[in-house]
Each structure stands twice: as structure tokens, then as C-alpha cells.
Amino acid sequence: NRNSLVKIADGIKSISAGRYHTLVLKSDNSLWACGLNDYGQLCDGTNISRNTLVKIADGIKAISTGGYYTLVLKSDNSLWACGRNDYGQLGDGTTTNRSTLVNIVDGIKSISAGYYFTLVLKSDNSLWACGRNRYGQFGDGTTTDRNSLVKITDGIKAISAGTSHTMVLKTDNSLWACGFNSYGQLGDGSTTDRNTLVSVFLP
């Protein structure tokens, strides 16, 4: 353990911290990872945990860590994933863990990994989701888990997945939310879970 900052690497563009693993995107668009790897979340083809950064892939433009799994967006706008998949959070149509990156879908603009669920924003501004949906965090009107991406709605320009809730910004700059809400994290004035997107703020 460290109680002061220690230097790890130079030339870094983006970072994402998961449950017990770390993703680093270097300025040359290479992906590096370290930490716990019990479910293959480091994407290096093993289940061996690493205490130094290991190179995973080139041609990456965005990264997001979930609870024991990894999402990456490649420079060609294709979505890839690896790691824990017991709720279908990788979106590959299975519940099989993956220790190497698998291609999920093309035409992606933005990604966000929650604890056990995934949000994807496609290039046409449509919102899609997969994985655990116990609290209605997909916003599709159900609490049914999905192992493939399902379309939620159109007209979205930004997404963010929490542990078990979802926040989305629509193209009209209105804020909407759904999912677990016991602490009022949806911001809708209640502590009621929502399985459909509710309006939180209108510009």
C-alpha cells in the first residue's frame, strides 16, 4: 500500500480504474493493464494478476473498466470486451468469461461500464445496454438481465454507468436517469428505483 503518489508511467492519454484492476491508454493509442485478473479482465489471455502494466493492444481510443471486466473502443469505432461475464455484461451473447478481447459490435461512439452492466452509445445517438438489470438500470421497463445489447432509446449524446444506475444526457441537454435509487442518486426527488428513464433536469 502507498500513502503518497508514486510515478507509474509517462505518455498517458486516458485512465480507468475498475474494481481491482487498472486500464491505461498511452498517447500512442496502446492499451496497458495491471491488477487482479481472476476473470481475464486484463485481456492478456491469462488469469494471472499483474503488479506492473502489461501491453494488451494497439489502436485503442477509449477505455472503461467495470466490476471485473473491461470495455475498449478501437479507433475504427468497434467495441471489444473481456473479463467477467456472468450477467452477460460483455454483450457477446453468452455468460462465458473471456481472457482476451472479443469483438461485440461496430459503429460505437461512446462506452461506459457499470459494476455488472454496460452502456453503449452508437454513432446514430441510440443508447444500448446489456448485463445485470436487477434495479432497472437499463431503462427498458424491465429488470431482466441481457447477454446481448438491447436498444433503449434514441437522441442521446452522453452516457455514464454507476454501480447499479444510469445517467444519460439527451441531445436537447436534458438529463435522465434510471436504476437503483435508495440514496436518491437518480436526482428525481425520490428514493424509488426506476426501470424506465425519468427526467431529472430540463434545460
Side-chain angles (χ1 to χ4, degrees), residues 76-164:
D76 64 358
N77 298 320
S78 60
L79 171 65
W80 298 68
C82 67
R84 187 171 180 175
N85 196 30
D86 48 345
Y87 295 101
Q89 55 265 48
L90 301 189
D92 67 346
T94 77
T95 53
T96 303
N97 297 339
R98 307 290 185 176
S99 63
T100 57
L101 288 166
V102 291
N103 185 208
I104 308 304
V105 68
D106 297 322
I108 304 305
K109 179 186 291 189
S110 180
I111 55 176
S112 186
Y115 194 58
Y116 294 129
F117 78 106
T118 293
L119 299 180
V120 168
L121 182 60
K122 289 195 175 182
S123 55
D124 64 357
N125 295 324
S126 61
L127 172 66
W128 298 66
C130 64
R132 192 184 192 199
N133 192 30
R134 177 179 178 182
Y135 300 102
Q137 56 262 49
F138 290 2
D140 67 345
T142 78
T143 53
T144 304
D145 298 342
R146 311 284 187 170
N147 61 21
S148 295
L149 288 164
V150 292
K151 185 176 179 179
I152 309 304
T153 190
D154 293 303
I156 306 301
K157 74 173 183 179
I159 55 176
S160 185
T163 298
S164 297

Side-chain angles (χ1 to χ4, degrees), residues 157-177:
K157 74 173 183 179
I159 55 176
S160 185
T163 298
S164 297
H165 76 289
T166 290
M167 305 298 294
V168 301
L169 184 62
K170 291 194 175 183
T171 52
D172 64 359
N173 294 322
S174 61
L175 178 65
W176 298 68

